[in-house]
Amino acid sequence: SVPTLYTRIYDGVHTLMETSSPLKRNTMKKALSLGWEALNAGGSKNLSMGLRLAHTVLDSSITSNIRSRFDGRLRCGFR
């Protein structure tokens, strides 16, 4: 079922984060945090310039890899 699939993916992403180096782990956590902040703000256009830049860079380098595994259809799912 779909919830089981997302639970397995969620667990896999978080396991990857916890077994990564501290730098990579903190970068991934920051990328996910900025993604949620952008979502809650109604889009990255509503963030400050510094946060928008950080979100753009981290989104293109970190979270786009996760999203690409779902053919770009994953809007939010990790925290």
Side-chain angles (χ1 to χ4, degrees), residues 11-73:
D11 291 341
V13 168
H14 282 278
T15 299
L16 176 66
M17 284 174 44
E18 296 306 318
T19 58
S20 297
S21 69
L23 177 63
K24 188 173 183 179
R25 178 176 42 246
N26 290 334
T27 304
M28 290 177 77
K29 285 182 179 182
K30 185 64 175 176
L32 294 175
S33 172
L34 280 173
W36 277 106
E37 195 169 334
L39 183 67
N40 290 332
S44 62
K45 295 176 185 174
N46 296 328
L47 295 175
S48 68
M49 183 179 278
L51 289 178
R52 191 176 335 138
L53 177 64
H55 176 261
T56 302
V57 169
L58 292 174
D59 183 60
S60 65
S61 63
I62 303 287
T63 54
S64 64
N65 294 332
I66 296 170
R67 207 172 28 255
S68 69
R69 293 180 184 218
F70 292 92
D71 295 328
R73 296 183 185 142

